[in-house]
Amino acid sequence: MKKSNTVAAIAVVASITLSFTIGSCDTSSNRPRKEYQGREDNPGLTEDRGDNMAALDFNLNDIDGNNVNFMSEVSKNKLTILDFWASWCRPCMDEMPNMINIYNKYSDKGLGIVGVSLDEREHDWKGTIKSKGLKWLQLSDLQGWDSPVAKKYGVQSIPHIIVIDQKGNIIADNLRGASLEEFISRKIE
């Protein structure tokens, strides 16, 4: 009798865990990772250009409805952070103070940030940008997890942060907090 209750409890926990990780801001990816290692990390993310992994280009609308080309933005900066996020994602909101700090500290040294929201409701997306005081470029197609850009980059959890150099090479993937700031500081100075 005890064994069947244990098995049933394990099945319930597994079911609940699965329901929270599919289509949600999976927090299991909160651990910092080292510099981007290549195609094995995320097969949907990049095209191989020899030793470097190239960021994939895309066009999305900004908060004013203007169509923006991503690689045009990348070319303007020494480094660009591509940040996939959503207003409903608690880990994303927890990371925002760090992103604001990094932007304020390094934007005048050649850092750009491009936020790509996985929100589906325009008022949630725009309201969060305004309430958090996000000064950097924000883009979205308001398609949530069905966003072709998120799929193109193989985004399976958010926040998902990618660092790209001026030539369009991915140089780091999934760094957060102090690890992200240390990396930016080292690469931009």
Side-chain angles (χ1 to χ4, degrees):
M1 191 79 145
K2 254 185 176 178
K3 188 174 182 179
S4 65
N5 287 343
T6 304
V7 171
I10 291 171
V12 168
V13 170
S15 174
I16 290 169
T17 302
L18 182 61
S19 70
F20 280 110
T21 58
I22 296 174
S24 68
C25 55
D26 175 21
T27 59
S28 67
S29 62
N30 281 341
R31 61 190 179 281
R33 287 172 38 184
K34 57 188 176 185
E35 292 185 29
Y36 189 70
Q37 296 299 308
R39 193 172 291 279
E40 292 76 27
D41 269 359
N42 193 341
L45 186 60
T46 60
E47 295 172 345
D48 197 344
R49 286 196 325 198
D51 293 332
N52 299 316
M53 301 305 286
L56 300 175
D57 198 10
F58 60 87
N59 286 358
L60 280 177
N61 288 339
D62 66 12
I63 60 170
D64 297 320
N66 300 313
N67 190 280
V68 176
N69 178 264
F70 176 63
M71 292 309 286
S72 292
E73 293 300 315
V74 167
S75 69
K76 296 176 186 177
N77 307 301
K78 288 181 187 175
L79 294 177
T80 300
I81 294 174
L82 175 59
D83 177 26
F84 289 91
W85 67 281
S87 64
W88 46 261
C89 171
R90 173 84 182 187
C92 298
M93 295 302 99
D94 290 347
E95 185 65 21
M96 283 303 173
N98 184 53
M99 296 295 285
I100 292 167
N101 178 55
I102 289 171
Y103 181 80
N104 289 339
K105 198 169 182 179
Y106 298 103
S107 63
D108 63 342
K109 296 178 180 179
L111 175 71
I113 301 178
V114 176
V116 175
S117 173
L118 298 187
D119 279 295
E120 294 179 350
R121 295 186 297 201
E122 186 174 11
H123 69 278
D124 292 342
W125 173 47
K126 290 182 177 181
T128 300
I129 293 167
K130 183 177 180 180
S131 70
K132 296 284 184 187
L134 307 181
K135 300 175 187 174
W136 55 89
L137 181 63
Q138 295 292 335
L139 307 173
S140 186
D141 55 17
L142 300 172
Q143 293 185 41
W145 289 107
D146 292 326
S147 169
V149 174
K151 288 180 179 183
K152 184 183 241 188
Y153 274 85
V155 175
Q156 297 177 6
S157 64
I158 52 176
H160 189 97
I161 298 168
I162 300 168
V163 183
I164 301 163
D165 69 15
Q166 193 168 28
K167 296 177 183 176
N169 298 313
I170 294 174
I171 58 174
D173 183 23
N174 262 348
L175 295 176
R176 295 190 194 159
S179 297
L180 177 60
E181 183 172 359
E182 289 168 14
F183 183 84
I184 296 298
S185 174
R186 217 173 50 243
K187 294 292 184 178
I188 209 160
E189 301 285 349

